[in-house]
Amino acid sequence: MMMKQRQIIPLIGSSSFSYTRFSYPFSRVISVTVLLILGSNISQASELSPATSPELISEPDASHYAFANYLGSGIYRTSGQSAAVANIPMGFELDSADDYELKLRFTASFGFFDYSFNDLPQGSFPNNVGTITLTPGLEYHWLVDDQLTLESYVDLGYGHNFSTYSHVGIFSTGISALYKLDAPLFTPVWVNRVYYAGYQSNQNDSTEGYSVFKTGIDFGVNYDWQWQDTLVAPRFFIAAHWYFDKLKFVTPVGNDVLTSYTYEIGTTLAFSKPISFSAIGLDSVKIEHFGFSYQVGGGLKVWRLIFEFPL
């Protein structure tokens, strides 16, 4: 591989998808989801009957899994529990012009209980799904000029917890400003986001919500290299999150964790063109970035896996 001093990789790209290209992989995801649900139900049938018992109804509902899409993929650690989240983002472009883009967004999120940092070096992976959330929505990008982009979105989704047989309705909305700073060698992007996410559960009719302000900078190092027909550029980012309504993590051991802030640092590889999974029938799943980050603060520790623009 030859290192080069150039940076022409788009930082925040958009891909165009036809309806037929989207519908097939979407049906594949639904099929996989059904298989996961059936497998999880079979593995738990000996422990839990389909009818929720009175004892189960009185248990605390760890419905913060409803926020999996907005917290991001990764391994989450609190004082009482470890859990893993895997998000599969998809979507396609509905309409676009020189100054705007309208997209259909969709994310399937899978949660795995009792999966910790110690499982990673051993190559151990979760053997059953604990939760699933499906969050479709609409996303609008206003391309103000060459430097500034404004974004907004609204989601309505559904989540299911296989261990308690409970489910939640999910709502989220937010606005963002992405500004490309004037530094051509490092192509930094300053990102500010404000969003709200909330749910209502059928277990005890409980509701929970939180709102957050997120700010951070993503920047390159003025190097890239050629990998087949794709340019790859390493990038780094730093970010901070402030939660206006404390984000609550219900833990089975000890007190619940209330998080009011977190700080994050990470690195990604940015690709000049998206990496597609069309070989396995997932045309609409494309990766423009890949990396990881570490997030800490307010009693929370997170190793996050990144498959898109990190901020």
Side-chain angles (χ1 to χ4, degrees), residues 70-71 153 173-178 190-197 210-217 238-247 259-264 295 311:
Y70 312 105
L71 296 175
Y153 78 90
T173 186
I175 57 174
S176 307
L178 296 82
W190 179 28
V191 180
N192 292 281
R193 302 187 190 275
V194 178
Y195 64 89
Y196 167 84
Y210 78 99
S211 50
V212 61
F213 170 66
K214 176 179 182 178
T215 184
I217 295 180
I238 55 175
H241 310 72
W242 286 277
Y243 300 94
F244 302 111
D245 306 312
K246 290 185 177 181
L247 180 61
T259 301
S260 58
Y261 69 93
T262 59
Y263 303 110
E264 185 175 14
Q295 189 176 149
L311 298 176

Side-chain angles (χ1 to χ4, degrees), residues 75-77 80-84 111-117 119 124 126 252:
I75 299 175
Y76 292 78
R77 172 69 181 173
Q81 186 182 38
S82 291
F112 309 92
F113 296 127
D114 300 322
Y115 187 81
S116 68
F117 302 109
D119 296 320
S124 175

Side-chain angles (χ1 to χ4, degrees), residues 124-168:
S124 175
F125 295 96
N127 55 16
N128 55 55
V129 178
T131 64
I132 183 173
T133 61
L134 306 173
T135 49
L138 291 175
E139 183 175 325
Y140 182 82
H141 294 192
W142 177 29
L143 312 177
V144 180
D145 53 37
D146 292 339
Q147 290 183 289
L148 178 62
T149 299
L150 301 179
E151 300 177 356
S152 62
Y153 78 90
V154 60
D155 289 343
L156 287 174
Y158 168 84
H160 184 78
N161 187 328
F162 296 112
S163 65
T164 63
Y165 289 94
S166 63
H167 57 261
V168 295

Side-chain angles (χ1 to χ4, degrees), residues 30 61 100 128 135 167 170 182 186 222 297:
I30 295 299
D61 182 18
Y100 76 89
N128 55 55
T135 49
H167 57 261
I170 303 166
D182 189 14
F186 305 103
N222 195 30

